[in-house]
Amino acid sequence: MTQLAPLLTGFALSLGLIVAIGAQNAFVLRQGLRREHVGLVVAFCAACDLALIAAGVAGLGAVLGTAPQLVTALSLGGAVFLGWYGISALRRALRTERLDTGPGGAALTRAGALARVAGFTLLNPHVYLDTVLLVGSVGAAQPAGAHPAFVLGAGLASLLWFTALGFGARFLAPLFARPLAWRVLDLLIGAMMLTLAAGLLHRVWAMTT
């Protein structure tokens, strides 16, 4: 029972932060709908979360908190990446495509899927602010012997969420057999990516003025 409380704390905190509309979740959902390299994408997202949470609990969060230049650089890189992907999604929305004909153009290779999910994960400054700083600081505040249980709980929440999102997306396949559904999804993804990019640029502007 001693380890159950920190495990549940880590699980609840991680799940509360990760279950939100964002660039990474949108990409995992789209790969799940396309049934392209879903296991690879899910495993990468969960492994990155686990590594970042563990690093935060171990003290990396305190280092990032004193390095505003690093946060600025991550924000600029993330804004460029999100802007590019947002424009790509809006361009896809102009084309008529169906689920069974490879929506969004040619299928991604394993390397291409990995590169994109890495960009959405590691070029997003929020992953460092939320996962490393916030979750890491809460985990670091747990008793020393409870750190492994906290990290395990937080990592388990991430794994379960991405697994459900990636592999559960196939149940929406009949809906996305319609070209209009893909257009709406790409329009929403494009608008969200550009909004996130604008938000990152605004943060950089606020930090440097």
Side-chain angles (χ1 to χ4, degrees), residues 61-108:
V63 175
L64 285 176
T66 60
Q69 297 86 352
L70 179 58
V71 176
T72 298
L74 289 169
S75 297
L76 286 174
V80 172
F81 182 80
L82 291 173
W84 165 77
Y85 195 84
I87 292 172
S88 298
L90 294 179
R91 291 178 61 187
R92 285 197 305 265
L94 298 177
R95 299 195 294 266
T96 302
E97 293 165 335
R98 301 174 66 88
L99 179 63
D100 57 359
T101 58
L108 291 175

Side-chain angles (χ1 to χ4, degrees), residues 3-16 18 49-50 53 57 135 146-161:
Q3 299 298 317
L4 182 60
L7 187 146
L8 293 177
T9 299
F11 185 93
L13 180 59
S14 179
L15 193 64
I18 201 172
D49 270 4
L50 180 61
I53 291 166
V57 173
V135 179
H147 288 177
F150 178 90
V151 172
L152 176 62
L156 182 60
S158 176
L159 177 61
L160 291 177
W161 168 250

